[in-house]
Amino acid sequence: MLVRLMYASRAAGSLDQEGLAAILKKSVANNPAAGVTGVLCFSGKIFLQVLEGGRAQVSALYNRIAQDPRHHDVMLLSYEEIEERSFAGWSMGQVNMSRLNPALLLKYSESATLDPYAVSGQASMALFNELVATASVMCQT
Ligand SMILES: Cc1cc2nc3c(=O)[nH]c(=O)nc-3n(C[C@H](O)[C@H](O)[C@H](O)COP(=O)(O)O)c2cc1C
C-alpha cells in the first residue's frame, strides 16, 4: 500500500542554509530505512514537501515532521493512495528555488513566488511533477 502526501509549512525565523542542510542530511539518513522517498522545496520562508512510501511509514514521518519546531503552520495539501511513486529516485530530493525559472512558477500561480497556501494542492503537485521533468531536483550527498 503506497501513498503520496504533500504539505506546506512556514520556516521558523531562525532557519538558515545550515539549518536546511541539517534537515536534508537527516532525511537522507533516515528515509531509505523507512522506504520513504520524496522532494523538499524551500523558498527561504516556505517549505513544500512530498513524501511517498508505505502508508504507515509516511503517516509516522508526517506526524513527526509536523511537530518539528523548525517550522509551523503545517498544512496538509494532498494525500492519495498511489500505484507507483513519482519521486522514486530521491530519498529526499532538493529544489533550489533561487535557481528556478520563474516561468515555471508563473505557469501554476498568479505570481512567480512559491506560495502553496494560495494555490490548489493540484497546482502544487503539478509544479512538483514539472520540477522532476525539468531535472530541477537535486540530491543531497
Ligand atoms: C521541513 C522539514 C522536513 C523534514 N523532512 C524529514 C524527512 O524527510 N525525513 C526525516 O527523517 N526527517 C525529516 N525532518 C526532521 C524531522 O522533523 C525529525 O527531526 C527527524 O526525523 C528526527 O529524526 P531522528 O529521530 O533520527 O533524530 C524534517 C523536518 C523539517 C522541518
Side-chain angles (χ1 to χ4, degrees):
M1 161 70 70
L2 282 174
V3 301
R4 181 182 305 124
L5 180 157
M6 180 176 55
Y7 74 84
S9 65
R10 296 185 202 282
S14 52
L15 195 94
D16 54 11
Q17 279 303 319
E18 226 169 273
L20 174 66
I23 290 171
L24 285 161
K25 197 173 169 197
K26 175 65 82 175
S27 306
V28 171
N30 284 354
N31 293 356
V36 171
T37 54
V39 174
L40 180 67
C41 269
F42 182 53
S43 70
K45 282 186 186 146
I46 288 179
F47 285 112
L48 185 58
Q49 188 175 30
V50 173
L51 302 170
E52 292 178 332
R55 181 166 62 188
Q57 288 78 8
V58 168
S59 180
L61 178 57
Y62 176 66
N63 284 314
R64 201 160 80 225
I65 292 173
Q67 290 173 25
D68 195 311
R70 288 172 286 187
H71 64 169
H72 53 92
D73 292 352
V74 178
M75 184 184 277
L76 185 62
L77 298 177
S78 165
Y79 177 88
E80 55 187 327
E81 294 179 353
I82 54 173
E83 295 286 323
E84 57 184 46
R85 298 176 196 242
S86 298
F87 310 100
W90 298 274
S91 54
M92 191 44 61
Q94 180 194 359
V95 176
N96 186 340
M97 299 303 293
S98 61
R99 284 203 223 136
L100 205 63
N101 182 350
L104 205 58
L105 287 166
L106 278 174
K107 185 168 174 183
Y108 297 106
S109 58
E110 291 173 23
S111 68
T113 49
L114 179 73
D115 188 0
Y117 293 94
V119 302
S120 70
Q122 231 176 348
S124 294
M125 194 59 84
L127 173 66
F128 260 118
N129 286 323
E130 194 126 359
L131 291 172
V132 171
T134 54
S136 305
V137 182
M138 300 171 293
C139 288
Q140 168 90 358
T141 49

